[in-house]
Amino acid sequence: MKTLSPTRQALNYTVLIVITVFMLLPFVWVFFGSFKTQAEFLGNPGAWLPESFQIGNYVQLFAERGFGDYMMNSFIVSSVAIVGNVLFSAMAGYALAKLRFRGRGAVFPLVIVAMIVPYVALFVPQFLIVVQLGLVNTLIAIILPVLALPLCVFIMRQFAHGVPFELLEAARLDGAGEARIFFRVFLPLTGPGLATVAILSFLTSWNNFLWPLVVAQSQDTYTAPVGLSVASQASNTISFGLLLAGAMVVLLPILILFLFLQKYFIQGVAATGLK
Amino acid sequence: MSTTATRAMLTPGTSSRRPRGGAKAHGGSRAEATTAWLFLAPFLLIFLVFTAIPAILALGTSMTDMTARDIRDPLGVNFTGIDGFLAIIGNPGFQRSFLNTVLFVVLCVPLSMGLGLALALMLNNGIRRLRTFFRAAAYVPVITNIVAAAVIWQYAFSISGPVNATLGDIGIQGPNWLGEPGWAVTTVVMMGVWRTTGTCMILFLAGLQAVPEEIYEAASTDGAGAWRRLWSITLPLLRPTTLLVTVLQTVSFLNIFEEPYLLTRGGPLSSTKSVALWVYEQFGFGNVSASMAGSVLLLLLVGIVAIVQFRMLRPKH
């Protein structure tokens, strides 16, 4: 296996480059298209490059289309989701892997079930509940369901297994309380797990679409994807350039983070496969 | 799907056992139990409110005549038993969305898995350099925001968009991708494959890394060619991974919603309307019980498919 002929390697590279081009082409289009004026789209719809790089679409997006507010909502939702998931899944993972109590065997299957249930089966009854709680059209309703993701609990339980009991017992013998053991001994030892959970909860909450679409009923609670989707429904009155600029703005935070934290992204989604 | 499924899922890293007598060492386990439940409380509370109760509500409301008007006062509904289920099973719109969903699964699952496996094989030992780059490139669509992606696809596949312009340059008259039923299905399938190939690739890569290199060396010494090694060694050893990816992809495409909703709104002529989209539409029309019956059927289907796949692909001892 280690002695691949140069011809075989050249063939593999060719195939990989072709696939990669198809995977990345949409991102090239969105980048260039976001700098085009509506006149350019109408005049020469097939052109790849803009005639000149106009930032008018971005200006209009934020100045007239309220995209700044949508982005702010998305940032709030994602930040709270990251904090919640890191804390709650670490707590739950620690309890499931490192503490002994009656009923532990019953809790873990719940985590698995929660990971499997298709979301489509849940959003309508979730909406009924949110109506009863009086939370329709609030950011709280958008955040709550993604605040303690079962997949994050699963990941933290796996990472918790890697923490030796001896260290926790030693701290216990030294007289440390449960909270102290958790914050001072356990958390510092599960850094990569926490990073994976943070990335995964960011991705989930930032990319969440169906639930915010159902719950956010006025513009002041739109997240960026919902705002973009609503704008694209009115696509005969809005220019492609503006929509592509919107897409660019929604994509950028993820792409920038991915550039720096690739490893944790891949770990996070590989963990989705483990379920 | 409980036992077999769960066992397959739990194989990695479950072997950590607590030393005996640990609980006694720090003065009884009641404090430990209290801590445990306190630590589990946030997860359990959210699970209760947003998964357990909704699941029961879904089953309950699907057997009533609930409409949008009853949402704020849900106690006024009438129990109708399985009438709602019979009604939607006989409904041509639901049947159409069911067949469409099956078509998406049948097309998207093998395509994304085949492409993902090919990529994984090439990245694992088919090239020497740039592995990280290619892996990342195939992976970017997975993390992409789907609404943003759909906006790009709508633009790219519009009648005079860049795809048709490029086809025109090489002398091919491009079709009306999103406006004709057959082509709309093709576009939705392409986007589904584009978005999930990276996931398959990552999982297959993880599976391949568990295959010991010595087996290949031994096989090579015995004169086995590349295809022979793929069929007789790699694929059999990848069986658990293949099972996992098949189930994940099937479940994911049975639930397909965003691609058809964002690209075509289920059209033209309902050609891309999936069950999930039908459920969403019925909810929007105020037919809450019909919508719930649809999602309960989808839930059952997902469960059955997962069980069948686990049985079919379970390693034979």
Side-chain angles (χ1 to χ4, degrees):
Chain A
M1 272 280 125
K2 277 169 186 158
T3 51
L4 270 180
S5 70
T7 346
R8 277 292 299 280
Q9 283 214 43
L11 185 70
N12 284 341
Y13 276 114
T14 316
V15 175
L16 281 169
I17 288 166
V18 170
I19 296 175
T20 303
V21 167
F22 278 106
M23 291 288 181
L24 297 185
L25 214 49
F27 299 97
V28 179
W29 282 328
V30 68
F31 178 75
F32 287 129
S34 69
F35 296 105
K36 284 186 184 176
T37 61
Q38 179 71 344
E40 286 183 68
F41 278 106
L42 296 175
N44 185 5
W48 282 57
L49 295 173
E51 282 161 20
S52 65
F53 281 81
Q54 307 280 345
I55 59 159
N57 290 323
Y58 290 92
V59 173
Q60 203 191 338
L61 197 65
F62 283 92
E64 293 165 30
R65 298 279 173 171
F67 236 73
D69 294 341
Y70 306 159
M71 288 296 281
M72 186 45 88
N73 285 342
S74 273
F75 275 116
I76 293 172
V77 167
S78 300
S79 318
V80 178
I82 292 172
V83 174
N85 275 290
V86 165
L87 184 64
F88 296 153
S89 66
M91 281 161 57
Y94 174 72
L96 286 172
K98 294 293 167 207
L99 296 177
R100 264 211 305 207
F101 58 99
R102 198 188 287 251
R104 180 169 83 164
V107 176
F108 187 59
L110 293 183
V111 180
I112 302 286
V113 168
M115 292 197 300
I116 296 168
V117 182
Y119 188 66
V120 176
L122 296 182
F123 79 89
V124 180
Q126 282 184 350
F127 182 72
L128 304 186
I129 290 174
V130 163
V131 170
Q132 294 301 319
L133 295 175
L135 292 174
V136 176
N137 206 22
T138 61
L139 287 184
I140 299 174
I142 298 177
I143 295 170
L144 278 177
V146 291
L147 205 52
L149 295 166
L151 183 61
C152 291
V153 174
F154 180 86
I155 291 173
M156 282 315 293
R157 177 183 168 274
Q158 297 299 102
F159 274 92
H161 276 303
V163 175
F165 278 108
E166 290 75 19
L167 285 174
L168 308 173
E169 292 297 335
R172 227 162 246 147
L173 289 174
D174 289 344
E178 290 295 335
R180 200 181 160 83
I181 296 174
F182 174 74
F183 284 108
R184 292 294 171 83
V185 184
F186 177 76
L187 281 190
L189 289 169
T190 46
L194 299 175
T196 305
V197 164
I199 287 294
L200 198 69
S201 49
F202 166 72
L203 263 188
T204 309
S205 49
W206 187 267
N207 287 342
N208 204 2
F209 175 60
L210 179 53
W211 178 241
L213 181 70
V214 171
V215 174
Q217 303 198 327
S218 71
Q219 290 195 10
D220 44 297
T221 41
Y222 282 0
T223 56
V226 175
L228 185 60
S229 157
V230 170
S232 80
Q233 277 181 52
S235 55
N236 39 4
T237 57
I238 194 173
S239 80
F240 260 134
L242 199 59
L243 284 178
L244 293 179
M248 198 69 209
V249 166
V250 173
L251 288 177
L252 219 52
I254 310 173
L255 294 179
I256 291 172
L257 276 182
F258 183 68
L259 210 59
F260 294 105
L261 301 170
Q262 214 204 104
K263 183 179 141 198
Y264 295 110
F265 273 90
I266 287 175
Q267 247 172 31
V269 181
T272 9
L274 283 184
K275 67 179 185 179
Chain B
M1 60 187 299
S2 57
T3 51
T4 37
T6 319
R7 206 175 304 136
M9 285 162 200
L10 298 188
T11 31
T14 41
S15 57
S16 168
R17 295 231 107 207
R18 173 173 205 145
R20 286 263 146 226
K24 277 178 200 146
H26 60 98
S29 57
R30 264 190 77 179
E32 197 169 337
T34 315
T35 314
W37 287 112
L38 271 178
F39 274 22
L40 283 166
F43 165 72
L44 287 176
L45 191 66
I46 287 172
F47 172 80
L48 192 72
V49 177
F50 289 99
T51 303
I53 297 177
I56 296 165
L57 270 180
L59 201 59
T61 51
S62 67
M63 290 190 282
T64 65
D65 58 359
M66 189 176 215
T67 63
R69 246 172 296 162
D70 304 311
I71 288 181
R72 275 167 209 283
D73 181 25
L75 295 177
V77 299
N78 299 306
F79 180 76
T80 54
I82 60 164
D83 290 1
F85 288 94
L86 298 177
I88 68 164
I89 289 172
N91 176 326
F94 180 79
Q95 291 168 355
R96 180 68 200 267
S97 70
F98 179 79
L99 291 177
N100 289 340
T101 307
V102 172
L103 183 66
F104 287 137
V105 171
V106 168
L107 292 173
C108 294
V109 175
L111 283 172
S112 59
M113 285 181 64
L115 197 55
L117 178 62
L119 279 169
L121 286 169
M122 283 187 283
L123 291 184
N124 193 49
N125 50 23
I127 55 167
R128 286 185 195 288
R129 283 169 215 277
L130 292 173
R131 280 178 196 177
T132 320
F133 167 74
F134 286 124
R135 190 183 65 172
Y139 199 69
V140 172
V142 177
I143 57 163
T144 294
N145 184 287
I146 185 133
V147 183
V151 164
I152 311 170
W153 278 68
Q154 263 184 332
Y155 156 66
F157 285 87
S158 55
I159 290 189
S160 46
V163 171
N164 279 355
T166 311
L167 287 175
D169 289 343
I170 52 172
I172 299 171
Q173 163 89 51
N176 181 0
W177 294 97
L178 298 169
E180 286 169 32
W183 290 113
V185 172
T186 312
T187 315
V188 168
V189 167
M190 282 195 291
M191 186 171 165
V193 172
W194 172 78
R195 200 165 67 92
T196 57
T197 293
T199 311
C200 301
M201 172 195 71
I202 289 294
L203 296 173
F204 279 124
L205 265 176
L208 283 173
Q209 261 139 39
V211 177
E213 190 71 20
E214 298 82 56
I215 302 188
Y216 289 112
E217 279 159 19
S220 295
T221 344
D222 291 345
W227 286 108
R228 185 66 212 258
R229 289 197 297 262
L230 179 66
W231 276 112
S232 309
I233 303 175
T234 312
L235 291 182
L237 286 174
L238 274 183
R239 203 183 166 94
T241 311
T242 313
L243 160 65
L244 190 72
V245 184
T246 313
V247 176
L248 284 174
Q249 287 295 92
T250 308
V251 169
S252 138
F253 282 109
L254 280 175
N255 287 309
I256 188 170
F257 170 77
E258 280 93 348
E259 282 94 344
Y261 174 77
L262 293 163
L263 281 180
T264 59
R265 291 289 182 278
L269 305 171
S270 295
S271 59
T272 57
K273 191 173 291 170
S274 65
V275 174
L277 184 44
W278 186 88
V279 165
Y280 176 80
E281 271 186 3
Q282 293 301 312
F283 171 66
F285 297 154
N287 304 331
V288 176
S289 59
S291 155
M292 281 332 323
S295 42
V296 171
L297 286 181
L298 191 63
L299 188 66
L300 277 178
L301 185 67
V302 166
I304 293 168
V305 165
I307 292 171
V308 169
Q309 288 182 337
F310 272 111
R311 301 235 155 191
M312 272 169 45
L313 286 155
R314 189 165 45 185
K316 296 170 185 83
H317 295 293

